[in-house]
């Protein structure tokens, strides 16, 4: 149980830091290099703003900043809970993602990235 507890402590510490240090104020975090040099928003752009809003309980703002990130936070919570339950029962944790799962996830992130950078996808911009 020590490893899941350590992982939770690290993630909670990261969320506490992002919750306390506002990403809307310039100078606290580095700028996305892809956005800086090309003007293209990557799938991670807005992730810190999303985490900041999520920590403060503002789910609509978190979803607006980066919806896939919010899904990632919730996915982590589910996987961590399964990990703890299985570890407490002495069972190994096996998350088996096959090629179909990985290609689907990659395709969804690619579509998200393309749509958020098109004129009609400006509602997805952070």
């Amino acid at each position: 149980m020590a490893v899941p507890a350590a992982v939770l402590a690290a993630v909670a510490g990261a969320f506490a830091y992002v919750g306390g240090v506002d990403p809307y104020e310039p100078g606290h975090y580095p700028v996305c290099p892809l956005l800086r040099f090309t003007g293209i928003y990557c799938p991670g752009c807005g992730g810190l703003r999303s985490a900041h809003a999520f920590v403060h309980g503002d789910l609509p703002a978190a979803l607006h900043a980066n919806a896939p990130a919010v899904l990632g936070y919730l996915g982590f919570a589910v996987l961590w809970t399964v990990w703890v339950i299985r570890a407490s029962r002495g069972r190994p944790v096996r998350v088996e993602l096959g090629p179909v799962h990985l290609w689907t996830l990659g395709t969804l992130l690619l579509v998200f990235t393309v749509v958020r950078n098109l004129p009609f996808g400006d509602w997805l911009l952070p």
Side-chain angles (χ1 to χ4, degrees), residues 97-111:
L97 295 176
V100 172
H101 297 104
L102 296 175
W103 279 102
T104 301
L105 180 61
T107 302
L108 289 172
L109 286 175
L110 180 64
V111 168

Side-chain angles (χ1 to χ4, degrees), residues 2 8 10 13 17 19 23 28 37 47-48 59 62 80 87 92 95 99 103 111 117:
L8 181 62
Y17 180 79
H28 290 290
F37 295 117
L48 288 173
L59 189 58
W80 185 85
V95 178
W103 279 102
V111 168
N117 285 288

